[in-house]
Amino acid sequence: MKQLLWPLYFVGALVVAWLIYSQLPNYIREGGWLVAGLIFLMIMVVTFVIERTISLRRAAGRGSLPAFLTAVKKTIATGDVDAAIDACKKQGGSAANVIRAGLDRFKSAKADGLPKDKIITETQEAIEEANGLERPLLERNLIALSTIASIATMVGLLGTVLGMIRSFAALGTSGAVDAAKLALGISEALVNTAGGLMVAI
């Protein structure tokens, strides 16, 4: 199902980008078709930023993380591992999931009667495993965001170069300076530069 959603998202974003482009003032539309591409990239960036914001808020869990860590530390210091596990379940964030995995393994290893060094090793392995599972959720789509920022800068630069080519072509074809064609080329260059920088920033 998810594989089907991505192509639909791209097509939808392209349609929305073209609709926005067609409603823009003439001086921006004169930047050429690359402006529509930059709008498409901006839609993708905004979508990924919203997704990251929601995911990172969910990963933070409920309540204050420093207060949660202090409470769990105090609970573990008293030796009440079950209460610490319950606190982790209630908090529900990424840090709580990692701590809970370690505490669960600690509890089961202690119940099995393993020696102290083996309990510590088992607990560390559980924490590393849980950390490995949580990290991809926290880092998802960051590569896409950085790639889009790089592409947007290059697309803006391409538009700038094309606009300058148009300006110099207007100077070269007519004996006298055609101010309108020259201004149109410079305008195209600057609109694309501004669009590319906006998306990248």
Side-chain angles (χ1 to χ4, degrees):
M1 185 68 184
K2 282 185 179 180
Q3 292 174 347
L4 184 66
L5 290 177
W6 277 109
L8 290 174
Y9 167 71
F10 283 124
V11 171
L14 279 170
V15 169
V16 171
W18 188 258
L19 289 172
I20 292 171
Y21 173 74
S22 65
Q23 300 301 315
L24 290 173
N26 279 338
Y27 72 92
I28 295 178
R29 272 191 284 153
E30 286 170 357
W33 57 272
L34 286 175
V35 174
L38 288 168
I39 294 169
F40 169 71
L41 292 174
M42 179 66 92
I43 291 169
M44 291 184 65
V45 164
V46 169
T47 304
F48 284 132
V49 166
I50 291 169
E51 184 275 329
R52 286 288 75 215
T53 302
I54 292 168
S55 293
L56 292 176
R57 282 203 176 147
R58 194 175 298 149
R62 294 185 256 335
S64 167
L65 186 60
F68 159 74
L69 292 173
T70 304
V72 168
K73 194 174 177 182
K74 285 179 183 173
T75 309
I76 291 172
T78 62
D80 193 355
V81 176
D82 290 326
I85 291 171
D86 288 339
C88 291
K89 286 178 186 174
K90 286 177 188 170
Q91 207 277 340
S94 290
N97 292 339
V98 171
I99 293 169
R100 190 176 88 197
L103 291 173
D104 282 336
R105 186 72 63 89
F106 173 81
K107 186 179 170 186
S108 64
K110 201 166 186 182
D112 292 342
L114 296 175
K116 190 175 182 180
D117 59 336
K118 186 71 174 164
I119 291 172
I120 291 170
T121 305
E122 291 274 326
T123 305
Q124 285 175 339
E125 285 174 5
I127 288 171
E128 287 169 12
E129 277 177 34
N131 199 20
L133 291 172
E134 292 292 329
R135 186 177 293 131
L137 299 173
L138 298 173
E139 295 176 352
R140 187 175 56 205
N141 293 332
L142 291 181
I143 293 172
L145 271 171
S146 63
T147 303
I148 291 170
S150 299
I151 290 170
T153 307
M154 294 300 133
V155 170
L157 183 60
L158 176 63
T160 303
V161 170
L162 292 175
M164 295 312 290
I165 289 171
R166 182 182 289 189
S167 296
F168 284 108
L171 282 174
T173 54
S174 58
V177 175
D178 187 348
K181 286 184 179 177
L182 184 64
L184 184 68
I186 293 171
S187 173
E188 178 181 342
L190 295 176
V191 164
N192 282 291
T193 303
L197 289 173
M198 260 176 50
V199 176
I201 289 168

